[in-house]
Every structure is written in C-alpha cells, then in structure tokens.
Amino acid sequence: RRAWKLAAAQAREHGVTFRAAPHRWRGTALDEVDVGYVGGAEARDTLRALGFEARTVTGATLATTLTADVEVLLVAGDLKLAELTPENRAALEAFLARGGGVVGLGTAGASFGNGTSLLTVTATAGPGLASGVANIVNHGGPGTNGAIPHAFISEPVWFTGLSPGVTIEQSYADDPLLAGWWRSNEAGTNGQAAAAGQASIVRGLAPRGSGYVLFGTNPTFRLHPKGLQPQLGRAVLWTSS
C-alpha cells in the first residue's frame, strides 16, 4: 500500500505513467552514480533533476574533485587541457585510466575527446543564434532507442571525421530544421545544408576502456528541453558501466 502511494505521488509530481511489471519480474537495484561536471548551472541542475550526484569540476580542482567515487565526467564547458598543472593532469589521466566515463556537449566535448585521445572527431558548430527544434534520425543504441525524431538545438553541432569504432546513434535529417531559426545555406560551411545527414550523437569505447558519448544537440539549454534529458541520463548510465 505504501508503494502505491509513493508511485501516485511521483506520477502527480512528474507527470509519468506507471505500468505493472511482468509476472515474477525482479528489478536490479542501481548504485548511485556520481558525476563530475565542467560547466554552469544548466549542467548541474539537469544532472540533479535526473537523480545523479553532481559535483563541480574545473581545471584547477581536478586533483581534489575527480576522486575515486566519480564515475562519469560531463564536459559541458572548456576544460583548457593545455593549461592543466601536472598534478591536475595526472588526476585526469588516472580517471581515464580506470575507465571513467565521459559525456561531452558540443564543441567543448569534442575538444576534450580529441585532447585526451578518447577519439578523433571534427566538430562543426552552426551559428551562435541558430536555435529551435531539429529533425533528426535515430539509429538505435543505449541513448536513443525509442527517442522521438526531434531534438532541441542551440548553436547546433555535428560530427565528422570520426575515428574507427565510433558509432553514430543519431544524425540530422536531410531537412534539419523543423522550427526556429537557422539559415539553409549560411555563408561558409555551417548552414543547414552542411549539417544535413551528419552525426548529432556519437558514442564509443576508448582504447583504455572509457565509454564516451558526444552530443551535438543541446539537452541542458536553460533547462527547457525536458524531452532530451532522458538521453543525457542514459548516456551517463551507459558510460558509467
């Protein structure tokens, strides 16, 4: 009876629907996942809304904040790898050596992946003012199985020049923009035409065992895109395993 009351309270608070589990089904309890994040309040509050323990990490505090209980690093801002002290660089290397997972957002996430040899990737960003709802194509995988064919973008990013073994989970559709602002053929190479068909979410395993996921969409923007938050949560869980 108490479980029913708790479920009803969660349904009211979060607008979710519960269904009965199959007969004799037994779930597996998940350990709490600690996530270090590089970025601002959007990254912090999204992680907390998803139920993760979130702790802020900067290039100057890696040695003290990237401790053994941190399982995943969310890179939502520039970590400035070239400016790390030997002590902080050693802490980052130790995290990756023990298989710490990495979830990267936009060009900052791609730069981190290249700079730490997690993967090779070229990240191209659309105009800073480009934002809205994008048409995307989901190719299946732990992050996008069952996802709707739309995603929120703000300065959309797409990934090319991927190293072998990288899996494309999601890409921009041939007609990338459903609603919002983004020129079809921006001067240069960052209009809709350049992004069409290119990867928007990729994942893989680094040679040292770290799982990584890169997002070119924006699941944390001003805490608006609630429908994308589960993709970020799944990415954290997948990289933590």
Side-chain angles (χ1 to χ4, degrees), residues 166-182:
V166 179
T167 298
I168 297 174
E169 276 212 31
Q170 184 190 91
S171 57
Y172 292 102
D174 292 337
D175 181 11
L177 188 65
L178 175 66
W181 183 89
W182 185 8

Side-chain angles (χ1 to χ4, degrees), residues 150-173:
H150 307 111
F152 185 81
I153 52 171
S154 176
E155 192 177 31
V157 173
W158 54 98
F159 306 113
T160 56
L162 298 166
S163 51
V166 179
T167 298
I168 297 174
E169 276 212 31
Q170 184 190 91
S171 57
Y172 292 102

Side-chain angles (χ1 to χ4, degrees), residues 20-119:
H23 182 58
R24 293 184 178 177
W25 180 85
R26 291 293 181 269
T28 301
L30 296 176
D31 292 333
E32 199 168 69
V33 178
D34 285 5
V35 183
Y37 68 92
V38 181
E42 292 174 347
R44 177 198 66 202
D45 292 346
T46 300
L47 288 170
R48 289 178 177 173
L50 288 167
F52 297 114
E53 287 292 321
R55 63 178 70 181
T56 184
V57 174
T58 70
T61 66
L62 285 168
T64 56
T65 56
L66 206 57
T67 53
D69 54 343
V70 175
E71 299 169 70
V72 178
L73 180 63
L74 173 63
V75 182
D78 187 6
L79 199 56
K80 294 183 171 55
L81 295 174
E83 300 177 11
L84 296 183
T85 65
E87 182 183 23
N88 286 313
R89 184 73 196 207
L92 178 59
E93 291 296 332
F95 170 79
L96 296 174
R98 60 180 166 87
V102 175
V103 178
L105 305 186
T107 54
S111 295
F112 181 89
N114 283 321
T116 55
S117 299
L118 288 175
L119 78 163

